[in-house]
Amino acid sequence: MRRFTHFAAIDWSGARGERQRGIALAVASGAAAPALVRPGHIWSRAEILAWLEDVAAAGEDVLIGFDFSAAFAFADAGAYFPEWSESPADIRALWSLVERLAHGDPHYEAGGFLGHPDARRHFRHGQGEVGDLFAPGAGRLRVVEQYQRATKQAASVSNFNLVGAAQVGKASLAGMRLLHRLSGRIPLWPLDPVPARSPLLVEIYTSLAARAAGLPPGRSKIRDGAALDAALAALGSAPAGLTGPVSDHASDALLTAAWLRAIASENAPWSPSPLTPALARTEGWTFGIV
């Protein structure tokens, strides 16, 4: 089993604009308490990319979790975008398509992709607009999302939904533009083999870390330093030592970095039974869903 010395968690945002208070980055190294990278800083997505590029250039031994989806549902329909002739065949081709159509959008936004008439048909948009190929109800789900719902490990939301506080579609599209730039520079599990040394990317849900720390479903957000330290203790981590109010984005990143450190040496997260090579190529998987 691969051993890492550093564990990073990125709480992500797909909101419009250059800088986002919803982005946070934390690292847990060795047995030390997890710590925020540039605490108090309002990150841009470009700065997160630059940090990742520095990690790649240094060849650091770090497991990096990002809180967005690397792909859309594919297995249920045999395509990401049925009835669209340009529908990609795999994850990297999906990232390339999103980048090609959104390359003119600033700050890694994806309005150009969502504005394409064929893409638009598959999403639930704001102001009551619903594409004619958006699946009835909650929208299409990847196999990992269906599985985590069935096993009650997490409550997933369709990436084709762009409406509401829980929507993850915009964040995932922005993340795909970032992954496109990192392709070939930092491997992504389970799409790529796990390297013997050097960084590795995995998709995460911060709610999994909260559940592992004993927080109840639906109440996983921590906004207080003492509550954060209690959750870290439940994961066997030293306290972060923050006092008073803490943003839930910062606490999500800190707790998830500690959680990655706690589970990365176990076999189960690396070999979920439903995962197949075809799913790895097209839909990916969420680390920690077993």
Side-chain angles (χ1 to χ4, degrees), residues 74-75 80 89-91 143 190-191 274-284:
F74 186 99
Y80 297 116
D90 56 36
I91 288 179
V143 169
L191 176 64
L275 180 62
T276 65
L279 283 178
R281 288 192 306 271
T282 56
E283 293 194 350

Side-chain angles (χ1 to χ4, degrees), residues 1-4 7 63 153 189 194 200 202 208 212-213 234-236 258-272 286-290:
M1 177 59 62
R2 165 76 188 274
R3 301 287 180 174
F4 296 88
F7 305 84
L63 180 64
Q153 295 183 66
W189 177 89
V194 176
L200 178 67
V202 292
L208 290 177
L235 296 176
W259 171 75
L260 283 172
R261 177 173 59 191
I263 71 165
S265 61
E266 300 174 0
N267 289 324
W270 300 100
S271 54
T286 305
F287 190 75
I289 296 293
V290 297

Side-chain angles (χ1 to χ4, degrees), residues 107-165:
H107 317 309
Y108 299 96
E109 296 167 14
F113 173 81
L114 292 171
H116 188 282
D118 286 301
R120 199 161 190 84
R121 300 178 65 192
H122 295 269
F123 292 86
R124 174 187 283 147
H125 306 268
Q127 300 181 332
E129 180 187 352
V130 181
D132 65 299
L133 294 178
F134 180 82
R140 294 169 61 198
L141 297 171
R142 297 183 297 164
V143 169
V144 66
E145 293 155 355
Q146 297 172 34
Y147 179 72
Q148 67 199 17
R149 280 189 171 194
T151 56
K152 299 185 176 0
Q153 295 183 66
S156 53
V157 178
S158 172
N159 292 313
F160 291 100
N161 176 41
L162 307 176
V163 180

Side-chain angles (χ1 to χ4, degrees), residues 2-289:
R2 165 76 188 274
R3 301 287 180 174
F4 296 88
T5 56
H6 307 284
F7 305 84
I10 301 168
D11 199 38
W12 189 245
S13 171
R16 296 183 65 181
E18 180 181 6
R19 297 188 179 276
Q20 304 298 331
R21 294 186 181 277
I23 296 177
L25 169 61
V27 177
S29 298
L36 293 171
V37 178
R38 302 179 69 180
H41 180 68
I42 303 175
W43 288 88
S44 69
R45 287 180 280 264
E47 288 174 333
I48 291 292
L49 175 61
W51 184 86
L52 289 165
E53 289 173 332
D54 288 345
V55 168
E60 293 189 36
D61 187 28
V62 55
L63 180 64
I64 307 162
F66 56 83
D67 189 26
F68 58 81
S69 297
F72 292 106
F74 186 99
D76 62 338
Y80 297 116
F81 309 110
E83 300 188 26
W84 187 5
S85 61
E86 292 191 70
S87 184
D90 56 36
I91 288 179
R92 285 199 168 88
L94 172 63
W95 300 343
S96 181
L97 175 66
V98 171
E99 177 60 31
R100 178 166 61 83
L101 295 179
H103 74 278
D105 291 293
H107 317 309
Y108 299 96
E109 296 167 14
F113 173 81
L114 292 171
H116 188 282
D118 286 301
R120 199 161 190 84
R121 300 178 65 192
H122 295 269
F123 292 86
R124 174 187 283 147
H125 306 268
Q127 300 181 332
E129 180 187 352
V130 181
D132 65 299
L133 294 178
F134 180 82
R140 294 169 61 198
L141 297 171
R142 297 183 297 164
V143 169
V144 66
E145 293 155 355
Q146 297 172 34
Y147 179 72
Q148 67 199 17
R149 280 189 171 194
T151 56
K152 299 185 176 0
Q153 295 183 66
S156 53
V157 178
S158 172
N159 292 313
F160 291 100
N161 176 41
L162 307 176
V163 180
Q167 69 85 15
V168 292
K170 293 176 183 177
S172 295
L173 285 164
M176 289 175 199
R177 296 191 66 189
L178 178 139
L179 293 173
H180 176 72
R181 282 159 176 76
L182 293 172
S183 184
R185 303 164 74 180
I186 304 182
L188 168 66
W189 177 89
L191 176 64
D192 302 308
V194 176
R197 185 172 174 82
S198 75
L200 178 67
L201 291 163
V202 292
E203 177 185 323
I204 56 171
Y205 284 154
T206 58
S207 62
L208 290 177
R211 293 280 290 275
L215 276 72
R219 290 188 288 167
S220 62
K221 296 302 181 184
I222 298 174
R223 298 181 174 87
D224 172 80
L228 173 61
D229 282 349
L232 288 170
L235 296 176
S237 172
L242 302 179
T243 58
V246 178
S247 81
D248 59 338
H249 306 293
S251 64
D252 278 351
L254 289 161
L255 190 64
T256 305
W259 171 75
L260 283 172
R261 177 173 59 191
I263 71 165
S265 61
E266 300 174 0
N267 289 324
W270 300 100
S271 54
S273 57
L275 180 62
T276 65
L279 283 178
R281 288 192 306 271
T282 56
E283 293 194 350
W285 197 262
T286 305
F287 190 75
I289 296 293

